[in-house]
Amino acid sequence: MSLVRMDELLVAARYKKYAIPAFEIWDSTNIYSIATAAAKCNAPVIFQATVDEYTLMGGPEVTRHIVEKYVEKTGITAALHLDHGASLEQVEECIAAGFTSVMLDASSLPFEENIKLSAMAAQIAHRHNVSIEAELGHVGGNDEGGIQDNGKNHLTNPGEACTFVEETGIDCLAVAIGTVHGEYKGEPHIDLERLNQIANIIDQPLVLHGGSGTPRDVLQQAIQMGIAKINICTDIHKAWLNGLKQAYESLTHSLAGRFYRPGSEQLQAKVTEIIKQFQLI
Ligand code: 13P
């Protein structure tokens, strides 16, 4: 099975009210672990990488090759997506390398500039039959102080969302409703009423960044309202690191092959749990 466009997966998910997890990738063991878990669940999945992540794997083309090989080997249905693309150059380099979806993240710019850049990225993506995600409002990180106490984060304005989607021509809209990238500081406050308003206006699949640590019942309500893609990094990264810590404390360091096995096993277990949660299996 070759890689598919991300929006094909997401349109079906929104319509049938489930969500596809988009897992961050950083090396071949993590890609192998995600693909293996997805195959066991017989579920579609999205692999996504930021510029830092694909650069560490040898660039976007090597990344695409590795993902494609595991997708072929396991027979899963999957898309490969650029997460938080910061420039049109990154968008172009990932498309040239064979990614099937890209995100141009201009969410920290003023509204008009976000529209302008996202529309340019959408034109480039569509010219190459690749789907495009953009963000309105800004989902920050706990390194930016967290959504609850940080002026840099701002929630999506439902009134602007319609204009944004129409004028940019994007396929999927990432919304800011109170989630954060990374761990929450204190209780998460997720604005489901705002999500409901956006979902009533926008037909395109909606995307939630900062999925890790978000309460299960909140995610399930968000999926019922129209969230079709949920980004997950911290939760799987922590599972991987827990496995490595366990190996570090119990195994001799000359056993490289065995050393990474607990990390892979814990990563697979976490991916399986998340897929089941989002697909309501
Ligand atoms: P988490 O690390 O909170 O799961 O967020 C990941 C994300 O949104 C990547 O774009």
Side-chain angles (χ1 to χ4, degrees):
M1 183 89 186
S2 51
L3 292 165
V4 300
R5 269 178 68 135
M6 187 176 85
D7 57 344
E8 284 174 24
L9 300 177
L10 299 188
V11 167
R14 177 155 187 193
Y15 180 69
K16 293 187 184 153
K17 295 187 190 290
Y18 59 85
I20 312 226
F23 293 113
E24 223 64 30
I25 54 175
W26 55 80
D27 72 7
S28 64
T29 309
N30 131 278
I31 298 170
Y32 162 75
S33 306
I34 295 167
T36 303
K40 284 189 186 146
C41 294
N42 194 20
V45 77
I46 297 160
F47 296 93
Q48 62 179 19
T50 61
V51 62
D52 288 341
E53 289 155 352
Y54 68 69
T55 301
L56 258 186
M57 285 187 276
E61 203 173 334
V62 178
T63 302
R64 192 261 301 159
H65 272 295
I66 303 171
V67 170
E68 209 164 52
K69 284 290 162 209
Y70 285 124
V71 167
E72 279 168 20
K73 188 175 158 63
T74 53
I76 58 172
T77 302
L80 174 61
H81 177 70
L82 165 66
D83 191 25
H84 293 290
S87 65
L88 294 176
E89 288 71 31
Q90 280 173 26
V91 163
E92 280 168 339
E93 95 166 337
C94 287
I95 291 173
F99 281 44
T100 57
S101 180
V102 287
M103 175 190 192
L104 189 281
D105 181 3
S107 63
S108 52
L109 298 179
F111 183 57
E112 292 301 336
E113 286 176 50
N114 189 0
I115 290 187
K116 196 170 152 206
L117 261 181
S118 302
M120 286 164 82
Q123 275 182 13
I124 296 168
H126 291 159
R127 209 180 301 139
H128 295 89
N129 192 27
V130 161
S131 60
I132 172 99
E133 172 187 326
E135 180 169 318
L136 181 65
H138 180 68
V139 179
N142 58 9
D143 52 342
E144 295 177 19
I147 194 81
Q148 289 93 356
D149 56 358
N150 180 350
K152 280 190 206 158
N153 302 307
H154 56 273
L155 303 184
T156 307
N157 177 336
E160 289 179 347
C162 188
T163 312
F164 186 76
V165 170
E166 271 176 12
E167 292 196 8
T168 56
I170 56 164
D171 303 303
C172 327
L173 177 69
V175 293
I177 55 167
T179 55
V180 288
H181 291 111
E183 288 179 327
Y184 288 93
K185 288 182 175 168
E187 277 293 298
H189 299 295
I190 312 301
D191 192 342
L192 288 173
E193 176 48 38
R194 181 180 298 268
L195 173 62
N196 204 26
Q197 285 173 24
I198 299 165
N200 283 336
I201 307 168
I202 306 293
D203 291 332
Q204 280 79 354
L206 302 173
V207 176
L208 194 64
H209 284 243
S212 297
T214 308
R216 197 187 169 100
D217 62 313
V218 170
L219 289 180
Q220 293 194 340
Q221 288 180 70
I223 293 168
Q224 293 311 303
M225 288 176 184
I227 292 290
K229 169 184 183 244
I230 302 178
N231 289 7
I232 298 286
C233 180
T234 304
D235 276 352
I236 58 164
H237 195 218
K238 275 170 61 184
W240 165 247
L241 291 178
N242 277 339
L244 293 197
K245 186 164 172 279
Q246 193 182 312
Y248 193 85
E249 285 163 0
S250 61
L251 286 178
T252 156
H253 290 200
S254 64
L255 299 171
R258 278 203 240 155
F259 198 92
Y260 294 102
R261 212 183 285 158
S264 175
E265 284 166 0
Q266 294 208 24
L267 186 49
Q268 287 185 48
K270 183 53 78 179
V271 166
T272 304
E273 179 190 317
I274 291 167
I275 288 174
K276 289 187 173 168
Q277 183 187 342
F278 293 179
Q279 301 235 335
L280 312 174
I281 293 174

